[in-house]
Amino acid sequence: MEPVTELLAGWLPRQRWFAGKGREIDEISIATATELRPADPALHHLVLAVRQGETVDRYQLLLGTRDGLPERLRPGEIGLLPGTHTTWLYDAAYDPQATRILLEHMAEGAVVGPLRFRHAPGVEIDTGLDGVVSTAEQSNTSVIFGDSYIGKLFRRLSPGVNPDLEVNLALTNLGCAHIPAVYGWIELEPSRGPGLADDEGATLALLSEFLRTATDGWQLAITSVRDWFAQSLPPGSEPDPGIAGGDFASESERLGAATAAVHRDLAAAFGVTAQPVTAMRAAAEGMRDQLAEACRDVPELVPYAKAIGAAFDEFAGLAGAPPFQRIHGDFHLGQAMRTGTGWVLLDFEGEPARSPGERRAVSHPLRDVAGMLRSFEYAARFLLADEEATSPEGARELEMRAHAWAKRNRSAFCRGYAAAGGVDPALNSIIVRAFELDKAVYEVRYEARNRPSWLHVPLRSLAHLNG
């Protein structure tokens, strides 16, 4: 397989989901290779072990080989197999013939080598659907099957059961109305996962209900902000986003209520863990560690560090033993879809930069609330970058509008969350503020590493968070 790994060394860094960009690949080896179809076009499932310095990450690839590559499969092109003139290697996630095999195996509950294909109890999977890769920017690959299913292929593999499968399956079994139902999944058998920590295997894919008519919460929010920025204001009047035609506050309130409902179901499915009185201190210590690391990496954060640290100290001094539970862990507007019947929450994997253990850990439900409040800040300021470059004075006016929009929607979300039975954010402002600042520090570090042009977004909102 050496010619194949040489090709992959050039192809992998160009993929959106490859986490090791900017670092040299020292070695690629094949951890597992499973033949799923022998004929031309052939299909193999690979788990790749990619070594970069002292770090070894595992990636999943559906490797297709065929004599000649049709134009429709060019998006998945890897390259010509060395030593041949017509045998092409390609990412078979882009091949409907290949992804249909995954549906067939899930429907049958097949076991092929180290791969286990599963379907949810009582579910019959339609195996006649063509798969189309979603164009959305994401760290995994989503394949949409007709109007019925969306299959998520987890590219960078984590040891053990992926939280997205674990949580969504538990909530599906409870009949939760605010998540897409799970129909099937694929696992790598624990005893056949060379190199995976503690030989725990891995979750390879998740097949869920496709929300065909749903609209992404981020897009709805950005549309609202754009309408508000375009709204004419009477001279001398205070900025009031409620007068704009695209006011989002009622949807924010409904989203808060849906979040509280999901938190209730998570507590029912996984239980609530009473924490020791030292829990807040321990959590604050982790926040301080991240702050120190982020300040070393991003000098622009340093002027805010003292005020952020004071908020963490206040959080650490809270008395009592808080009830912790499973939460979403990476909650923002892009993880919520508005359907015809209400809001649906997606992607329970947790923050991608966290370790698998951190993503599965219990926490205070207000951490999710803080994550969504941060997302309102992002949405409010997303459109400011171009304006600041062309008109600094105009940007200052829009910053006032952005702050007003974020404040209105933050309040509406918290109101909906509390009214639906969630822990009232207004009565726990010290907790919410600490979680928000911790999330903002994470964002600053993430943007500096991955999207430097977005660094202004978390930095700009820190001023009023520290007020």
Side-chain angles (χ1 to χ4, degrees), residues 14 59 76 83-84 97 125 132 156 167 170 177 182 195 211 282-283 325 333 343 372 415 425 452 463:
R14 302 196 301 270
Y59 292 90
T84 73
Q97 286 181 277
I125 296 174
V132 177
R156 185 186 184 192
V167 171
V182 173
L211 307 172
Q325 62 169 79
L333 286 161
W343 285 97
M372 184 55 66
R415 185 168 59 248

Side-chain angles (χ1 to χ4, degrees), residues 404-418:
W405 186 94
K407 182 178 180 181
R408 177 175 175 81
N409 286 279
R410 288 161 58 95
S411 296
F413 178 85
C414 290
R415 185 168 59 248
Y417 184 81

